[in-house]
Structure formats: C-alpha cells, structure tokens
Amino acid sequence: MKTLLTSKAITNGGDYLLTAKGIEISKKFLGENNVTYVNAITYDTGKFLIDEYDNLIVIGGPLYCERLLTKGSFPLIYDAMDKGKKIFFLGAGNYLSDDKDEIIWNELFHGEVKEILQYINDNGILGCRDYLSQRILLNNGFNNVIMTGCPVWYYDNVEDRTKLPSIHKIIFSDAGVTKDGDIAKEKYVQTINLLKYLSKKFSGVQLVYSFNNGIETKYSYRFNTKVLLFLKESGISHIDLSGTADKFALYDDFDLHIGYRLHSHIYSISHKIPSILICEDARGIGFNKVFGLEVLKCYDDTKRYYTNNQYLINQLNFILDEEMVTHFMRYRYIYENIHYYRTNLNNFFEEIKKRL
C-alpha cells in the first residue's frame, strides 16, 4: 500500500504546522515507508504520476468551499479522481464568513465541486475538523463523514501550563489581511487598539507579536509595515513564523496566546497553553464550539459589510478576568476531551486500511 499525502502550504506557518502533523499522524497509522508527501502547489500532473500510489490523503485546510476546491485550485485531487484512486480528506474545514444559520444551511455545492465531493463520499472519507463543516456536508447529502478534528490537536506528553499562578509572557498572533483595503484599515485600527489594551492591562508582562504569514507578503506588506512601526515605537518585539512548522515551538515559552490565527490557537491549546482566539470567520468559531469556548468575533455580525466589533475589547476583558480568577480552569478539560476525538481519528485510518 502506497499513500500520497498532499496539502497546500505556501507561506503561512499554520499551513506548514498542519501539514507536518498530518504527515506525522499518517506515518504513525500507515507506516513510515508507505507514505510520501507532495505540496499541491508544486504538483505537476505531467511529471508526478498519481498512478504510483494506491490512494490520496489531503491534509486539512478549508476544502469544503467551492472557491478552493475547483479543478483550477486543486488539480491533484481531480487527477486522482480521473485515475480512479481513493481519496480521503483529513481534518478539512470550511471557509465561511460566519456561523449564522442562513450561511451554514445555504452553503450548497454545485458542478465539479459537487462531483468531487460525491466521488470522495463514495470512494473515500470526508474527514472534518469541526461540526460546522460536518453539518454542511450532511446538509448537501453526503453521509460518509468522520469528525476527526484537526491534526494539530494531537500532541502527547505536554506540560500543563493552565495552572500557572501568574502570566509573564503573552504572544499575540496577527490578523489575516486580504487585498480589500477597507478591511485592512479596519483590522489595523483594531490590532493597534488591542495591543494598547494588552500593554496596559498586563503592564510589565512581555508582549510579543507573531507574524504567522510573514511580513513581506503579497497582500499585507503595507499593513505589516505599519504594524512594525507601532511595535518599534511601543517596545514590542516580534517573531516571523512563515514558511515552516518548526518555529511554532517558540510558543512553548509563553503563558498565554491571544490573537487571530487559528493554528496559533490550536497549537497553544494542544500544548495546554491558555489561548483566546479572535475569530475572523467560521473556521475559528467551529473550533471553539467543539470545546465550548467563548466565541469572540472581530467583526460586527449584525452588519452586511465588514465592520469592526466595537465591543471586542470589552468582551475580551471580561473573558480574561473570568479565566484568570480560575487560572483558566476550563482549558484543563479541553485536553481531556481531545482524547475522545482520538477514537475518531483511529477509526478514520482503520477505514482507510479496510478500503485498500
């Protein structure tokens, strides 16, 4: 049995982290020598033949979205389907703007995207990282679904950091910035206000800013340059997590994560480091709902177009005060709950073995 693994990791450190954990877990279940990885970004149907492999596992990402699952966006998946290979999605999610019912229940798939999902439903497994994604699939008539969670959930033998008597170091992860200039302006104002608030509330605590997608990026370079100037003026240091999974180990030295990046949030929680996510869309909302965490949105979900949540700092302040009183007690149970999903993960790979 030979398995080809793939994902789309470009610059975002979170994508590389997800990929690394997906490879690690797949090798654990399927065997070190039975697994090969190729980045879907560099895949060439004319040079790298899917014929050599028995099946394809696609690791994570917001795949349950028409925009990101077309033939032009992910040709390797369609190549595998054309060759009759079994295809499995491991811990994939959605990319919806919010978790409102009218958005979740009206997310319908069409054309080639519906065909590929139906093919996987009949010839593989549709693995999900949260229940919002599962609901979308079930609502579209797909029933071969397993909620495995995200591969980044699964770490063993980590030190419990939720019982620390005090906070000495805080890591703040950056916002995802699109090419929409108006949204970038809103998020810049919000980011600076959050950093000012945290610097004041945790006076004397080391605050570090994390650029998960790098600094000199295609869409957010101007945004990042302005943030860098503020950081320099405020004496706040920064780290760049782009291009690799290894740099996430830097998070292990912190007592608390606050910020926008989902995989900074998941990594922190899986390492028993308290984390408060500022949700930019349904990806983060889906994760927090799995474990009963507060959903803190950066946007005003009552508006038709993007507008900052004007109550964000008030909401964050109350959450922090509540959690610090109990030394982040609720986070201690999350790690225990993750063990339940290990059973689902095991079932996912056992089903793969049965189908080959």
Side-chain angles (χ1 to χ4, degrees):
M1 178 185 69
K2 295 178 66 177
T3 297
L4 182 64
L5 302 180
T6 193
S7 68
K8 294 178 77 172
I10 305 175
T11 58
N12 193 327
D15 294 336
Y16 284 93
L17 177 67
L18 171 63
T19 297
K21 285 300 295 181
I23 294 172
E24 175 191 314
I25 289 170
S26 297
K27 286 183 176 181
K28 175 183 175 181
F29 281 98
L30 302 177
E32 182 83 22
N33 298 323
N34 298 325
V35 171
T36 301
Y37 172 79
V38 61
N39 193 327
I41 300 297
T42 59
Y43 175 79
D44 186 333
T45 55
K47 296 180 180 180
F48 203 104
L49 299 178
I50 190 69
D51 304 45
E52 300 174 16
Y53 296 88
D54 301 296
N55 63 303
L56 175 70
I57 297 179
V58 186
I59 305 168
L63 294 174
Y64 301 124
C65 168
E66 287 211 323
R67 178 172 61 87
L68 300 178
L69 200 55
T70 63
K71 190 169 186 177
S73 298
F74 221 131
L76 172 53
I77 295 176
Y78 289 83
D79 193 16
M81 183 175 71
D82 290 342
K83 302 293 176 60
K85 304 297 181 178
K86 292 180 173 62
I87 305 173
F88 305 90
F89 281 1
L90 171 59
N94 65 77
Y95 210 156
L96 301 183
S97 60
D98 195 66
D99 66 330
K100 292 180 180 178
D101 286 341
E102 62 265 31
I103 296 176
I104 298 297
W105 301 116
N106 286 299
E107 178 67 3
L108 303 176
F109 300 108
H110 308 88
E112 62 183 13
V113 173
K114 186 174 183 179
E115 290 178 14
I116 187 64
L117 291 174
Q118 187 64 58
Y119 177 90
I120 299 171
N121 189 75
D122 298 339
N123 299 278
I125 301 173
L126 296 164
C128 295
R129 70 183 180 198
D130 58 49
Y131 289 112
L132 293 183
S133 304
Q134 179 173 277
R135 290 174 193 172
I136 291 168
L137 292 171
L138 294 173
N139 190 50
N140 275 269
F142 306 119
N143 54 19
N144 189 9
V145 181
I146 296 181
M147 219 298 276
T148 62
C150 175
V152 182
W153 292 7
Y154 301 106
Y155 285 87
D156 298 306
N157 303 317
V158 297
E159 178 188 355
D160 191 347
R161 303 292 294 278
T162 61
K163 299 178 182 179
L164 293 177
S166 58
I167 294 171
H168 301 283
K169 296 180 70 175
I170 298 173
I171 185 79
F172 183 95
S173 60
D174 63 333
V177 180
T178 69
K179 54 188 174 183
D180 188 320
D182 290 336
I183 295 178
K185 291 177 182 177
E186 290 269 330
K187 285 191 174 180
Y188 173 77
V189 171
Q190 186 177 80
T191 295
I192 299 307
N193 286 338
L194 283 165
L195 292 172
K196 288 179 177 178
Y197 155 76
L198 291 172
S199 296
K200 183 177 181 180
K201 184 174 184 66
F202 296 97
S203 178
V205 170
Q206 183 181 358
L207 178 61
V208 178
Y209 189 92
S210 171
F211 288 98
N212 286 36
N213 198 36
I215 298 172
E216 297 184 12
T217 62
K218 183 176 181 180
Y219 297 125
S220 57
Y221 176 65
R222 293 180 62 187
F223 176 94
N224 292 339
T225 301
K226 290 171 65 179
V227 171
L228 274 172
L229 180 61
F230 174 82
L231 297 178
K232 184 177 180 180
E233 293 173 345
S234 305
I236 300 173
S237 59
H238 68 274
I239 58 175
D240 182 340
L241 297 187
S242 62
T244 180
D246 298 337
K247 292 179 183 176
F248 270 90
L250 295 171
Y251 271 55
D252 298 349
D253 195 36
F254 288 86
D255 305 315
L256 173 65
H257 163 259
I258 299 172
Y260 298 89
R261 293 290 181 170
L262 176 58
H263 281 99
S264 287
H265 183 53
I266 298 175
Y267 180 89
S268 298
I269 286 177
S270 66
H271 284 72
K272 299 185 180 180
I273 300 169
S275 174
I276 298 175
L277 181 68
I278 302 169
C279 298
E280 297 184 275
D281 49 49
R283 291 173 296 171
I285 297 170
F287 173 86
N288 277 13
K289 283 194 168 184
V290 171
F291 295 109
L293 292 175
E294 295 265 11
V295 172
L296 190 59
K297 298 177 181 179
C298 70
Y299 55 92
D300 185 341
D301 61 7
T302 68
K303 304 294 184 181
R304 183 175 179 183
Y305 299 105
Y306 185 93
T307 305
N308 280 344
N309 174 8
Q310 62 177 313
Y311 304 110
L312 176 60
I313 289 179
N314 299 80
Q315 294 165 346
L316 174 60
N317 190 59
F318 274 101
I319 292 171
L320 281 167
D321 287 346
E322 290 164 357
E323 295 296 345
M324 287 190 293
V325 166
T326 64
H327 299 293
F328 298 91
M329 180 177 66
R330 76 172 74 183
Y331 288 83
R332 299 172 204 167
Y333 301 108
I334 293 177
Y335 197 78
E336 296 175 11
N337 292 338
I338 287 175
H339 286 290
Y340 165 80
Y341 296 101
R342 287 181 184 272
T343 302
N344 286 7
L345 186 69
N346 182 73
N347 292 340
F348 175 85
F349 281 99
E350 288 302 316
E351 285 296 321
I352 291 178
K353 293 176 183 179
K354 290 178 184 178
R355 292 162 187 262
L356 295 175

